[in-house]
Amino acid sequence: MTESDPIIYAYRLRGDGSAEQLDSDFSMSEQGDPIWVHLDAVSEISGEWLKRETNLGSYVIDGLLAEESRPRCDVYPHGVLIVLRGVNLNPGSDPEDMVSIRIWMDHERVITTRFRRIMAVEDIVDQLEKGQGPTSTSHLVARLGFQLTERMGPFISQIDEEISELEDVLIAADHEQNIDFRETRSELLRLRRLTIALRRFLAPQRIALATLAGVERNWISPSVMGRLREVSDRVTRITEDLDEARERCVVIYDELSGRMSHRMERTMYLLTVVATIMLPLGFLTGLLGINVAGIPGAESKSAFWVVCTLMGVLVAAEVWFFRKKKWI
């Protein structure tokens, strides 16, 4: 493929798990085994290629090249348009910024488009090159959905482990007073925002896959429909896991906020007690420090120590009184 060619991959499925890689000058109108074409939607000539090489309607082409699109499944008399999402596992990328793949499927071809590299597509290519790939167009789409979903598994497990670590930190906070609540809360908010962002796309993806699994076409075999239902169920479980993770984040956040409020209240209470104890002492020292004649003990060398002793006795009396009232 040349640099100006919008085609990233082009294969003719042989029906036995292997595929023949096609040259850039192939024609979509050629009769034979089903064809899979993977296009770069960023290329400016992808739209021209689709209009020239396919008989797809403008609404389908627009759907294949739309930059922003939520997961969905649109069923037409001659084919199906599917939009799916996956976790962004590209190096240096934010997993929260999910990648998307747009798919047109009919009985003789699959056309997929992407704006960013998708690992699941490369998984399918590796399977085809090893002779273990999909055998039909519907099987190919089912494999794509399966690979996208399976690659989410480790990332969802990582989120669950990070939330568990935060729960452990919260438990340790009962015994350790040097826990950084601000850092913990910041990490918790990040995880909560991540689960919300992932669920925002996975919830409609579950519906899209369920819709696809219910499409009745003679070129979609029962085994493929069963696989699509399995993928839909897997996405449902992931969505439920995200709901549980989000609820755990809410519980941890509430508990963390309560701990922070309790710590602040204890600190303010301690400062109030200290200020209350020091208030009479401040009054006495202020009274004895006024610069007027007639202050008792002004001429006595032992007056300073007498005053210090009296203030010590006063502090002891205040502490005894506070303890008796159970204020401290």
Side-chain angles (χ1 to χ4, degrees), residues 11 16 88 140 187 196-197 222 249 286 304:
Y11 288 95
D16 58 356
N88 191 351
L140 173 61
E187 181 67 14
I196 292 174
C249 287
F304 172 77

Side-chain angles (χ1 to χ4, degrees), residues 21-277:
Q21 187 169 4
L22 302 176
D23 297 329
S24 58
D25 57 350
F26 79 96
S27 174
M28 292 289 291
S29 61
E30 294 179 2
Q31 299 296 321
D33 294 328
I35 294 177
W36 171 38
V37 181
H38 187 54
L39 300 176
D40 183 5
V42 178
S43 175
E44 297 180 355
I45 61 175
S46 293
E48 298 177 5
W49 188 92
L50 287 170
K51 293 177 182 178
R52 183 180 68 251
E53 296 292 334
T54 69
N55 59 349
L56 297 176
S58 58
Y59 49 90
V60 175
I61 295 177
D62 291 341
L64 289 173
L65 299 178
E67 292 187 14
E68 297 293 335
S69 182
R70 292 172 61 84
R72 71 178 195 271
C73 177
D74 298 332
V75 182
Y76 299 97
H78 54 291
V80 183
L81 177 65
I82 316 107
V83 179
L84 299 177
R85 289 266 183 169
V87 176
N88 191 351
L89 299 177
N90 293 314
S93 300
D94 187 358
E96 180 180 348
D97 187 17
M98 302 183 73
V99 295
S100 61
I101 184 169
R102 297 141 181 84
I103 307 168
W104 170 261
M105 172 184 69
D106 55 37
H107 70 286
E108 60 183 10
R109 60 190 172 180
V110 174
I111 301 174
T112 58
T113 62
R114 56 87 160 166
F115 285 86
R116 285 171 293 184
R117 179 186 177 192
I118 302 175
M119 299 295 185
V121 172
E122 298 183 4
D123 292 340
I124 302 298
V125 172
D126 291 339
Q127 294 171 8
L128 288 172
E129 292 180 351
K130 294 177 181 179
Q132 302 173 351
T135 58
S136 64
T137 57
S138 58
H139 191 194
L140 173 61
V141 174
R143 281 281 183 95
L144 277 173
F146 177 80
Q147 292 300 138
L148 284 171
T149 305
E150 283 300 300
R151 284 189 169 272
M152 295 179 191
F155 184 70
I156 302 301
S157 299
Q158 180 183 348
I159 293 177
D160 183 72
E161 291 176 1
E162 292 182 5
I163 294 176
S164 298
E165 291 176 359
L166 291 179
E167 290 174 335
D168 294 339
V169 169
L170 198 62
I171 294 174
D174 290 335
H175 311 286
E176 302 178 16
Q177 297 300 321
N178 58 345
I179 300 296
D180 190 348
F181 281 140
R182 293 183 179 179
E183 180 179 351
T184 304
R185 185 172 63 174
S186 176
E187 181 67 14
L188 185 62
L189 290 175
R190 182 188 68 83
L191 290 173
R192 185 180 178 186
R193 183 177 64 251
L194 181 58
T195 57
I196 292 174
L198 292 176
R199 193 192 184 286
R200 183 165 63 94
F201 289 107
L202 290 183
Q205 182 150 316
R206 174 183 57 185
I207 299 174
L209 288 169
T211 302
L212 180 61
V215 174
E216 296 184 358
R217 296 289 188 275
N218 56 8
W219 41 273
I220 302 179
S221 65
S223 61
V224 171
M225 294 180 68
R227 179 178 289 269
L228 288 172
R229 282 191 290 269
E230 291 178 4
V231 175
S232 178
D233 291 341
R234 174 59 176 158
V235 174
T236 300
R237 290 194 296 270
I238 291 178
T239 304
E240 292 173 350
D241 291 341
L242 289 174
D243 288 336
E244 179 184 356
R246 184 178 58 179
E247 293 301 323
R248 290 171 65 189
C249 287
V250 172
V251 173
I252 296 173
Y253 183 82
D254 291 341
E255 181 66 19
L256 189 62
S257 298
R259 298 281 183 89
M260 293 177 65
S261 299
H262 180 66
R263 176 180 290 187
M264 183 175 297
E265 289 173 359
R266 288 179 57 189
T267 301
M268 295 301 297
Y269 180 75
L270 179 61
L271 292 176
T272 301
V273 170
V274 172
T276 303
I277 292 176

